[in-house]
Amino acid sequence: MFSQTAEYALRAISLLAERHPAPLKTSQIAEATRVPRPYLFKVLQALGRSGIVESRRGIGGGVSLAKELNEVTILDVVNAVDPIQRITKCPIGLAAHGVELCPMHSRLDAALANIEEIFGDTTLAEILAEQSGGRCKFPRVKLKP
């Protein structure tokens, strides 16, 4: 249901949230999240344009969250890289549907609305606070002092 791009963005953000406020090198993020480095560059650029991450060059530089954990929602991350596409008109262009969706597309749109609501109400701080066994455990990455 979600694109590979959204999955990669969520992996990268989860790692950055765990290590917040320490910056990580792109190579560290790629290795720990198992995201191909060229694809990760694309994802991080989109997250940067959205103001979710920032990058600094040079010694002590790297990529880090640009906001606090309680200011970033899962919806912010997904919408930065591959926005959820709500269904506002008949996807196959049937004139008979007019301005109303058929029952199937109406239900699909309602499901997307629920996802938007849940993702919009879930911050990175909440995700990190849940210490359940089902959370992805990233391999430790070496941080330079």
Side-chain angles (χ1 to χ4, degrees):
M1 178 166 195
F2 294 100
S3 69
Q4 190 73 55
T5 304
E7 168 67 22
Y8 287 168
L10 290 169
R11 288 185 204 174
I13 284 297
S14 295
L15 179 64
L16 289 170
E18 279 187 4
R19 305 304 197 277
H20 184 67
L24 296 174
K25 296 185 181 335
T26 305
S27 59
Q28 294 171 315
I29 300 168
E31 180 183 340
T33 61
R34 296 186 177 110
V35 175
R37 210 167 158 188
Y39 208 136
L40 182 62
F41 280 119
K42 174 185 166 184
V43 168
L44 291 174
Q45 284 178 335
L47 292 170
R49 283 191 300 271
S50 294
I52 296 171
V53 301
E54 58 188 4
S55 60
R56 286 187 218 97
R57 293 182 182 203
I59 296 173
V63 180
S64 60
L65 290 177
K67 300 178 178 183
E68 292 304 315
L69 298 175
N70 63 347
E71 297 175 333
V72 180
T73 67
I74 301 304
L75 185 62
D76 294 334
V77 175
V78 171
N79 280 342
V81 297
D82 191 15
I84 294 173
Q85 299 295 313
R86 295 287 302 275
I87 304 170
T88 58
K89 61 184 180 181
C90 177
I92 56 176
L94 296 177
H97 287 172
V99 294
E100 292 191 29
L101 296 175
C102 69
M104 179 184 297
H105 288 116
S106 180
R107 283 178 177 80
L108 288 173
D109 186 61
L112 293 170
N114 285 336
I115 290 169
E116 278 187 334
E117 182 179 347
I118 292 167
F119 283 6
D121 289 341
T122 306
T123 66
L124 294 178
E126 291 171 311
I127 294 293
L128 286 181
E130 294 179 16
Q131 295 297 323
S132 66
R135 194 175 65 132
C136 292
K137 303 287 186 203
F138 293 109
R140 295 307 292 173
V141 293
K142 294 178 184 173
L143 299 177
K144 294 188 177 185

